[in-house]
């Protein structure tokens, strides 16, 4: 509450459920998060999002045009480009909204394994919103939104994350 909006914004990198993409190139879309990013940083973010192989296969690579709102990408590729963009933003916390929604099981597993490795490597915190059980396995604490109070405050029930053997 004591932070200015600008100071609070600097703490978070956000990947929304539906990332809005420019009609420009992969590079231009990624650089929205970090204009000073070099190609190595762009490729590293794409690797973490499990999208680097797809972009390398495109004839123009990082300069490949995406079309209006990423029309030349599948829904899952658009989602992963949104993740890569969030990964580029230098912030202590990642906020990911349904990061694997619409991905097939194999792609979801790769994205989550790379996300877990990224969190371990960077020390970033994770705030995850998901209805899917696989991404929730990354979280040590769960909160379940149970409704709104009469004053409009969000009501939550804390729940310990399932333990794995």
């Amino acid at each position: 509450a004591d932070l200015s909006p600008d100071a609070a914004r600097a703490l978070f990198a956000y990947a929304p459920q539906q990332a809005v993409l420019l009609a420009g190139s992969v590079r231009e879309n990624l650089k929205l998060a970090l204009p000073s990013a070099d190609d190595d940083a762009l490729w590293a973010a794409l690797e973490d999002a499990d999208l680097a192989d797809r972009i390398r296969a495109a004839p123009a690579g990082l300069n490949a045009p995406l079309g209006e709102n990423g029309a030349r990408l599948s829904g899952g590729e658009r989602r992963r480009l949104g993740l890569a963009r969030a990964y580029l933003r230098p912030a202590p916390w990642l906020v990911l909204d349904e990061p694997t929604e619409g991905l097939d099981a194999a792609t979801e597993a790769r994205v989550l394994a790379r996300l877990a490795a990224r969190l371990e490597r960077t020390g970033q915190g994770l705030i995850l919103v998901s209805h899917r059980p696989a991404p929730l396995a990354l979280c040590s604490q769960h909160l379940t939104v149970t409704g709104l109070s009469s004053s409009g405050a969000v009501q939550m029930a804390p729940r310990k994350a399932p333990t794995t053997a």
Side-chain angles (χ1 to χ4, degrees):
D2 295 334
L3 293 176
S4 71
D6 286 341
R9 244 187 313 284
L11 297 174
F12 300 96
Y14 176 55
Q17 190 169 359
Q18 297 292 330
V20 175
L21 301 175
L22 301 176
S25 68
V26 171
R27 180 189 314 277
E28 290 166 328
N29 275 273
L30 289 174
K31 284 193 163 213
L32 290 173
L34 186 62
S36 63
D38 62 15
D39 284 3
D40 289 341
L42 300 181
W43 285 116
L46 290 167
E47 286 288 347
D48 283 350
D50 191 42
L51 193 58
D53 289 346
R54 163 68 169 88
I55 301 306
R56 277 191 191 96
L62 291 171
N63 295 317
L66 298 179
E68 192 65 35
N69 199 26
R72 293 189 175 149
L73 299 175
S74 71
E77 291 166 343
R78 285 192 298 273
R79 182 170 310 276
R80 289 181 285 150
L81 187 59
L83 282 174
R85 188 163 61 197
Y87 293 165
L88 277 168
R89 184 170 159 78
W93 287 93
L94 280 173
V95 179
L96 306 180
D97 187 359
E98 298 288 359
T100 62
E101 184 66 32
L103 300 182
D104 62 78
T107 303
E108 179 180 53
R110 286 192 311 272
V111 167
L112 293 176
R114 290 172 187 219
L115 174 57
R118 177 185 177 75
L119 295 172
E120 180 70 27
R121 184 176 74 247
T122 66
Q124 281 180 301
L126 175 65
I127 299 172
L128 178 78
V129 178
S130 185
H131 294 90
R132 300 170 63 88
L136 295 176
L138 292 174
C139 302
S140 61
Q141 295 180 21
H142 295 184
L143 294 174
T144 301
V145 175
T146 58
L148 295 176
S149 70
S150 59
S151 67
V154 174
Q155 296 175 325
M156 292 186 273
R159 169 172 81 87
K160 192 168 181 168
T163 57
T164 56

